[in-house]
Amino acid sequence: VAFGLGGLYLFGITRIVVPLFADPIGARAFPTVIAFGMLISGVLLVIEHVQARKAGAQDPAGEAKGEDWPALSWTVVGVAAWTAIYLAVFEFLGFLIATTLYLIPLMLYFYRGRVVLNIVISVAFAVVSYLSLAVALDAQLPVGALIESLRGY
């Protein structure tokens, strides 16, 4: 699946029209990084699958057969609702605060028992993403009305 999505995404990038006098980095740079990230993820998933098979572990794809589908459905609905809330407050809170507050509960839910590590990873991901996008690629990410209002004091 990761290979397919990465390949389709890479194909879509080739369809981006770049004006003659465009930014030297170009409109294709960041999407290309994402596409190769998906392809690398696909390779890592295949390696993980092969290693699990060699170790005699249960097929990772087979783990879902014993899942409680109603509970899984509520998890999907919960993540979708949480994502909608994240998008609703994104402009007001800004990228760093909104993304950190979005990731912490998700990390705590999906990786239970590692509270401090989950918080550190959530904050680090938000900061590294911000630095990558806003600083390195000069993307315009929202600072947030909350921070803007505090600057006035």
Side-chain angles (χ1 to χ4, degrees):
V1 173
F3 284 124
L5 290 175
L8 285 173
Y9 199 70
L10 202 54
F11 175 74
I13 294 166
T14 64
R15 303 299 216 181
I16 296 175
V17 177
V18 179
L20 183 59
F21 297 103
D23 183 10
I25 293 177
R28 295 180 183 157
F30 185 69
T32 302
V33 170
I34 298 295
F36 279 105
M38 284 195 254
L39 293 171
I40 290 168
S41 295
V43 169
L44 293 174
L45 287 170
V46 167
I47 291 170
E48 179 184 31
H49 179 76
V50 169
Q51 287 176 342
R53 281 254 170 138
K54 284 182 181 176
Q58 181 183 5
D59 183 10
E63 292 175 0
K65 292 178 184 171
E67 289 288 337
D68 178 15
W69 287 105
L72 186 60
S73 299
W74 281 111
T75 300
V76 170
V77 169
V79 169
W82 187 240
T83 302
I85 293 168
Y86 167 69
L87 295 173
V89 300
F90 187 75
E91 289 286 331
F92 177 72
L93 294 177
F95 180 83
L96 277 173
I97 295 172
T99 302
T100 301
L101 293 177
Y102 172 70
L103 290 175
I104 289 173
L106 290 176
M107 294 291 289
L108 291 173
Y109 179 78
F110 288 109
Y111 302 102
R112 294 182 175 132
R114 299 177 177 162
V115 176
V116 174
L117 180 63
N118 288 333
I119 292 171
V120 168
I121 289 172
S122 298
V123 171
F125 180 84
V127 169
V128 170
S129 297
Y130 181 81
L131 292 174
S132 300
L133 295 169
V135 176
L137 295 175
D138 199 29
Q140 298 299 314
L141 297 175
V143 175
L146 180 64
I147 300 297
E148 289 293 333
S149 67
L150 294 175
R151 285 185 182 174
Y153 292 107

